[in-house]
Amino acid sequence: MSGVDFLEKMLNGVEIGWLPLGSITNYEQPTKYLVAAKNYSDEYKTPVLTAGKTFLLGYTDEEDGIYKASESPVIIFDDFTTANKWVDFDFKVKSSAMKMITSSDEQKTLLKYIYYWLNTLPSEFVDGDHKRQWIGSYTSKKVPIPCPDNPKKSLEIQAEIVRILDSFTELTAELTAELTARKKQYNYYRDKLLSFEEGDVEWKALGEVCDFKNGFAFKSNLFRESGLSIVRITNINGSVVDMADVKYFDPSDYKENTQNYMIESGDILIAMSGATTGKIGCFNSNRTAYLNQRVGKFIPKSNVLNNRYLYHFLLSKTDAIYDLAGGGAQPNLSSKALMERIRIPVPYASDSTKSTAEQKRIADILDKLDTLTNSITEGLPREIELRQKQYEYYRDLLLSFPKFLSLGGKYRAAPLYKFPSSGGVPEGRGGL
């Protein structure tokens, strides 16, 4: 019997109690566990946590005032943002702006069950709303507890729900670790293939082997909600051009020939200023789009430079390119400096046929690794996205407890509490 079948059988018609969160949990302020030192180092062993999204700030060598979560796991809850984390390792904390949540009675309510339920709640945090949430709002929220008058059966059901959700969490964590390893692998092979410590190779300035085009100064007061897409520096997202948030224009608003700034799928773009300065993106969309000012496009010279070879090379040089911009709060990159000072290795430069073939061979290898590492349609990021959706789907389903009010005045789980069959689940949501 699968975990779902087992759970479905146990849930069929059981009584559901809805208890205030504050009645089944205790909280503690982390005052005793605050870190004093600021010299964090990866060489130390005790993590320093914050309850916000950053979570891990670093490691400290302080030995006193450590919370032993390895012996007694805890939920840390950011009192202001409502972000929360499950922690089962020893730690210290940076800020007192959190609550440390435990179950008031593990013989009745599992803390991990409460943690998963907490994450089904929509965030009530409003930007600029600086108020504490735990006592003012969260302790009055109602938690669904199966079989509240039968602790043994209740714990069995809670434990099974936790086991199922843990399995999804572990799978996502394994995929994320695999993705990190793949990125390291890609970077290793990219740097190795492009190092050319030996052999027939010439290092040429970018300006010798490709041309460069700057974008057009589209006016922000003429941005439209529909029309032709404008790629701005904020769309350059480090290896890709993210078209999720774009502005539009109408060519009739300009007397200049904006067609000169059109880009095509496969074009390699670079952000020339702002927070994304030096980032490289490959435009992979089939929609018609145009370069905004401070976005540049590389145009490899025919029979000299392979476009994908150039792309992988530029990804390996983003730090050096950023240094050309001078850093600072508002870095600005000069196309002249970029094309004169960044040098690219051209194998077999005196034989264009042999050179382009070797560049293509290298680019093909890196493309395969790049697809597995970064593709949002084929690679691990896509798989992680699907597994995350699968986890969230089952988490919300398991903890929603569709219910009806029985004649006895008590809520019970609906007898037709059904999980989707393997043939009818949304994409990425089957296969427990």
Side-chain angles (χ1 to χ4, degrees):
M1 182 182 294
S2 71
V4 170
D5 291 338
F6 175 65
L7 189 60
E8 194 172 357
K9 183 178 180 181
M10 284 200 305
L11 279 175
N12 193 5
V14 301
E15 181 182 343
I16 304 296
W18 296 76
L19 304 179
L21 181 58
S23 71
I24 59 173
T25 56
N26 295 321
Y27 76 86
E28 179 182 3
Q29 294 291 148
T31 310
K32 293 187 295 185
Y33 313 108
L34 289 173
V35 66
K38 297 181 180 178
N39 58 329
Y40 305 148
S41 171
D42 290 343
E43 296 178 357
Y44 302 146
K45 67 177 184 180
T46 303
V48 179
L49 306 182
T50 173
K53 293 182 179 179
T54 305
F55 187 48
L56 176 59
L57 296 174
Y59 295 85
T60 181
D61 59 351
E62 290 186 16
E63 297 181 353
D64 297 326
I66 296 174
Y67 187 90
K68 300 291 185 181
S70 60
E71 301 171 4
S72 180
V74 66
I75 301 169
I76 60 173
F77 178 92
D78 189 318
D79 227 354
F80 295 107
T81 70
T82 74
N84 63 83
K85 295 286 187 182
W86 172 262
V87 185
D88 55 6
F89 51 82
D90 299 347
F91 66 91
K92 291 183 72 72
V93 301
K94 175 63 178 177
S95 170
S96 61
M98 70 163 67
K99 296 286 191 297
M100 301 171 63
I101 313 299
T102 54
S103 173
S104 59
D105 188 348
E106 280 279 338
Q107 299 304 310
K108 294 182 177 178
T109 315
L110 298 178
L111 184 64
K112 196 68 172 290
Y113 173 83
I114 296 170
Y115 165 73
Y116 281 125
W117 172 83
L118 263 178
N119 283 280
T120 67
L121 301 178
S123 175
E124 297 180 359
F125 172 69
V126 177
D127 194 21
D129 184 8
H130 198 69
K131 68 178 183 181
R132 292 184 181 273
Q133 300 283 346
W134 182 255
I135 296 177
S137 176
Y138 272 66
T139 53
S140 61
K141 295 185 182 298
K142 300 293 183 63
V143 185
I145 304 295
C147 307
D149 297 329
N150 185 344
K152 182 175 181 296
K153 186 170 184 178
S154 182
L155 285 179
E156 288 178 352
I157 295 172
Q158 293 176 46
E160 183 60 15
I161 290 174
V162 167
R163 188 196 67 77
I164 293 172
L165 296 179
D166 274 351
S167 68
F168 284 124
T169 303
E170 290 167 5
L171 177 58
T172 303
E174 290 173 1
L175 289 171
T176 302
E178 177 69 14
L179 179 61
T180 300
R182 294 291 185 184
K183 287 181 176 178
K184 289 182 179 178
Q185 185 183 42
Y186 166 77
N187 289 340
Y188 171 81
Y189 281 109
R190 182 190 64 195
D191 294 345
K192 188 175 182 63
L193 287 167
L194 297 173
S195 62
F196 291 102
E197 294 178 354
E198 299 178 355
D200 186 358
V201 62
E202 290 185 27
W203 289 79
K204 294 179 177 290
L206 282 179
E208 296 180 70
V209 290
C210 73
D211 296 318
F212 189 83
K213 187 171 186 58
N214 282 302
F216 178 70
F218 290 100
K219 297 175 182 177
S220 59
N221 62 331
L222 295 178
F223 285 167
R224 294 172 178 253
E225 295 303 315
S226 62
L228 299 176
S229 305
I230 303 171
V231 173
R232 299 171 295 161
I233 54 175
T234 52
N235 297 118
I236 312 297
N237 194 23
S239 81
V240 298
V241 177
D242 185 354
M243 298 295 285
D245 179 21
V246 297
K247 300 297 182 183
Y248 302 89
F249 78 102
D250 185 332
S252 65
D253 290 334
Y254 298 91
K255 61 182 180 181
E256 297 89 347
N257 184 4
T258 53
Q259 288 299 306
N260 292 332
Y261 303 93
M262 187 171 71
I263 55 178
E264 300 176 344
S265 180
D267 280 347
I268 303 169
L269 311 183
I270 182 172
M272 302 293 284
S273 63
T276 57
T277 297
K279 285 192 175 182
I280 302 296
C282 183
F283 183 70
N284 289 321
S285 174
N286 290 322
R287 75 166 81 173
T288 303
Y290 296 78
L291 289 178
N292 194 25
Q293 61 182 339
R294 306 309 297 154
V295 179
K297 179 176 80 170
F298 295 94
I299 309 170
K301 292 181 179 177
S302 179
N303 297 323
V304 176
L305 194 61
N306 178 283
N307 191 59
R308 294 298 296 178
Y309 177 82
L310 172 63
Y311 167 72
H312 292 293
F313 169 77
L314 290 171
L315 285 179
S316 74
K317 294 296 177 185
T318 53
D319 288 344
I321 293 172
Y322 183 82
D323 288 344
L324 286 180
Q330 293 296 330
N332 263 295
L333 187 60
S334 156
S335 59
K336 184 175 186 295
L338 174 66
M339 300 303 281
E340 289 181 352
R341 296 173 62 181
I342 298 296
R343 304 181 73 80
I344 183 171
V346 180
Y348 310 112
S350 58
D351 185 337
S352 63
T353 301
K354 192 173 181 179
S355 179
T356 53
E358 177 64 6
Q359 292 176 45
K360 183 178 184 304
R361 184 189 72 82
I362 294 172
D364 287 347
I365 295 173
L366 294 177
D367 276 347
K368 290 178 182 176
L369 288 171
D370 182 56
T371 297
L372 182 60
T373 305
N374 297 311
S375 173
I376 60 173
T377 58
E378 302 176 50
L380 282 170
R382 171 66 170 169
E383 184 67 17
I384 290 172
E385 181 185 8
L386 290 177
R387 297 290 80 77
Q388 182 65 24
K389 287 181 179 178
Q390 188 181 46
Y391 156 72
E392 291 174 0
Y393 175 80
Y394 277 104
R395 181 196 63 195
D396 295 348
L397 184 65
L398 289 167
L399 295 170
S400 64
F401 290 99
K403 59 185 183 294
F404 69 97
L405 189 63
S406 73
L407 293 176
K410 294 182 178 180
Y411 285 110
R412 294 184 181 278
L416 295 179
Y417 185 87
K418 293 290 184 183
F419 293 89
S421 65
S422 58
V425 298
E427 183 182 23
R429 293 176 180 177
L432 271 176

